[in-house]
Amino acid sequence: MARGKLILIEGLDRTGKSTQSEKILSALGDEAVLLKFPDRTTRIGELINQYLTDSNFELPAQSIHLLFSANRWELNSEIHSLLEAGKHVILDRYVYSGVAYSAAKEIPGMDISWCFNPDKGLLKPDLTLFFSNQDSSSLQDREGFGEERYEKIEFQKRVRHTFSNVFDHISDPNRAIVDVSDRSIEEVFRYIEPLFRTVINKDLEGFTYF
Ligand code: DGP
């Protein structure tokens, strides 16, 4: 049986990643499953959720970084099995967010290479769509923005910049940038649909890893 394909939707906060991930899932129906990182439902995920939502819950930046990575590792064998069983797996965030949000903290010693290390060996997506917009200033007008730890304009600007450094560090020919500025949900979907359908129809053998 042909293996399923791993499709990653990555990007900046509030660029419509989750909406488009759901739309891909609807388009593929039973052939696909959608997983979101961080997965806040596991024991590790609960800790991550507490860190993101409770400003009094402090952890060293290195510790929370490793927890986010551990959260990806705890689902790695499930993702592997799903792909081997022929299911397509759609991921809403993954390794790139892991590296970019932590490296954007600019903590001495926590450079991109350090941040990437614990994720080395995770499955590499067959397609990565990176959702971007023109600037982060309009974020503060979005409903609910500011409720979680990283939802601060200055930090988001640093994350934007760090993502491009992360892309220079981690090469991947199967990555495309999707500029969502001034595009409706339907327009974005029309743009990405041929991209993920092409990958799904490919006959790929074996897996690649970060
Ligand atoms: P989300 O549930 O997609 O809104 O993500 C929650 C927040 O956590 C968001 O600001 C992005 C950030 N984030 C997602 N994954 C990681 C990660 O692996 N490491 C770090 N440091 N932050 C992450």
Side-chain angles (χ1 to χ4, degrees):
M1 182 201 293
R3 74 160 173 88
K5 308 294 169 4
L6 186 60
I7 297 165
L8 168 61
I9 306 297
E10 264 289 4
L12 302 166
D13 281 27
R14 315 269 170 150
T15 46
K17 292 181 301 302
S18 300
T19 304
Q20 296 296 334
S21 302
E22 292 284 354
K23 283 183 75 67
I24 300 173
L25 180 66
S26 305
L28 299 180
D30 284 352
E31 291 173 62
V33 292
L34 167 60
L35 300 173
K36 175 168 173 47
F37 286 110
D39 177 347
R40 304 186 191 212
T41 66
T42 68
R43 295 291 293 279
I44 293 171
E46 283 170 18
L47 271 175
I48 293 171
N49 184 51
Q50 192 180 351
Y51 175 81
L52 289 171
T53 56
D54 177 358
S55 56
N56 295 317
F57 181 61
E58 284 304 338
L59 281 175
Q62 292 83 351
S63 305
I64 186 64
H65 178 76
L66 295 172
L67 287 174
F68 272 110
S69 176
N71 189 233
R72 287 184 283 278
W73 277 108
E74 62 182 341
L75 292 180
N76 191 48
S77 60
E78 182 187 334
I79 296 173
H80 221 279
S81 306
L82 284 164
L83 295 170
E84 278 182 331
K87 290 265 186 204
H88 305 303
V89 179
I90 307 153
L91 300 179
D92 179 351
R93 290 199 194 273
Y94 194 46
V95 170
Y96 298 106
S97 285
V99 181
Y101 283 80
S102 287
K105 294 179 181 177
E106 295 175 351
I107 289 176
M110 278 184 77
D111 57 10
I112 287 176
S113 161
W114 189 95
C115 291
F116 180 40
N117 257 336
D119 279 1
K120 280 188 186 160
L122 284 169
L123 278 162
K124 199 163 185 175
D126 300 302
L127 174 68
T128 295
L129 298 175
F130 179 76
F131 284 26
S132 178
N133 50 16
Q134 295 299 333
D135 79 302
S136 306
S137 315
S138 59
L139 275 174
Q140 58 204 5
D141 305 329
R142 302 288 289 271
E143 199 186 326
F145 185 78
E147 283 168 9
E148 289 206 341
R149 185 177 290 255
Y150 296 143
E151 294 183 338
K152 299 185 178 75
I153 297 293
E154 280 319 306
F155 185 67
Q156 293 288 328
K157 286 184 179 165
R158 288 219 300 276
V159 170
R160 169 188 296 277
H161 179 71
T162 310
F163 261 119
S164 84
N165 293 339
V166 173
F167 289 162
D168 291 342
H169 189 88
I170 306 173
S171 62
D172 187 351
N174 301 318
R175 195 167 56 212
I177 293 182
V178 180
D179 186 349
V180 301
S181 351
D182 301 323
R183 280 183 166 162
S184 68
I185 290 171
E186 290 311 322
E187 283 170 329
V188 173
F189 189 71
R190 270 202 298 279
Y191 181 77
I192 65 170
E193 188 167 22
L195 302 178
F196 71 77
R197 292 225 181 258
T198 303
V199 170
I200 274 169
N201 292 327
K202 273 190 189 165
D203 197 11
L204 296 177
E205 278 183 32
F207 293 103
T208 52
Y209 300 89
F210 278 105

